[in-house]
Amino acid sequence: QVQLVESGGGLVQAGGSLRLSCAASGGTFSNYAMGWFRQAPGKEREFLATISGSGGRTVYADSVKGRFTISRDNAKNTVYVQMTSLKPEDTAIYYCAANKWYGAMRWNTYDYWGQGTQVTVSS
């Protein structure tokens, strides 16, 4: 059983940056691909990015490509997403998730989820 805890959310002005962290425990972290998702009120959970267990491969959603960067530190059992050029439409609850298989973009294929962290971008 893998436990995930996100942190780093908050209020930021449009054009600003935030880095979210997701600390994992309870499993062999490098065995899991990790993903970041977000969900805004009234909308479906949206895939943002995923990274392989080794950190060598990544996939991004078009909506965040070039603005968000996913990374991981397996020694710290932590995955990050660096978010830049934030827009009001990036406002959402951000979740990290773990998957035994790399490359998945559908939220219902992920095995473990964090509780989420709120990101609010003001205009």
Side-chain angles (χ1 to χ4, degrees):
Q1 189 79 6
V2 176
Q3 292 83 44
L4 303 172
V5 179
E6 300 96 336
S7 61
L11 174 65
V12 63
Q13 288 188 334
S17 300
L18 275 178
R19 188 178 80 156
L20 305 182
S21 301
C22 171
S25 61
T28 302
F29 184 60
S30 59
N31 285 352
Y32 291 88
M34 299 299 296
W36 282 98
F37 293 77
R38 67 186 178 191
Q39 189 163 19
K43 294 189 176 181
E44 292 189 355
R45 193 162 294 193
E46 177 188 10
F47 167 79
L48 300 176
T50 185
I51 187 167
S52 62
S54 67
R57 295 177 290 172
T58 56
V59 176
Y60 293 91
D62 288 343
S63 59
V64 303
K65 197 175 295 183
R67 297 191 301 125
F68 289 13
T69 302
I70 189 171
S71 62
R72 66 191 296 161
D73 185 338
N74 286 347
K76 295 182 178 180
N77 288 356
T78 302
V79 62
Y80 307 94
V81 61
Q82 177 70 47
M83 307 186 294
T84 62
S85 301
L86 284 162
K87 308 172 184 179
E89 51 264 43
D90 293 318
T91 295
I93 299 175
Y94 283 69
Y95 299 91
C96 67
N99 194 321
K100 293 179 181 177
W101 306 103
Y102 167 69
M105 291 185 281
R106 294 173 58 183
W107 67 267
N108 58 357
T109 64
Y110 280 72
D111 303 299
Y112 303 102
W113 289 85
Q115 82 290 349
T117 185
Q118 176 71 46
V119 171
T120 303
V121 184
S122 64
S123 57

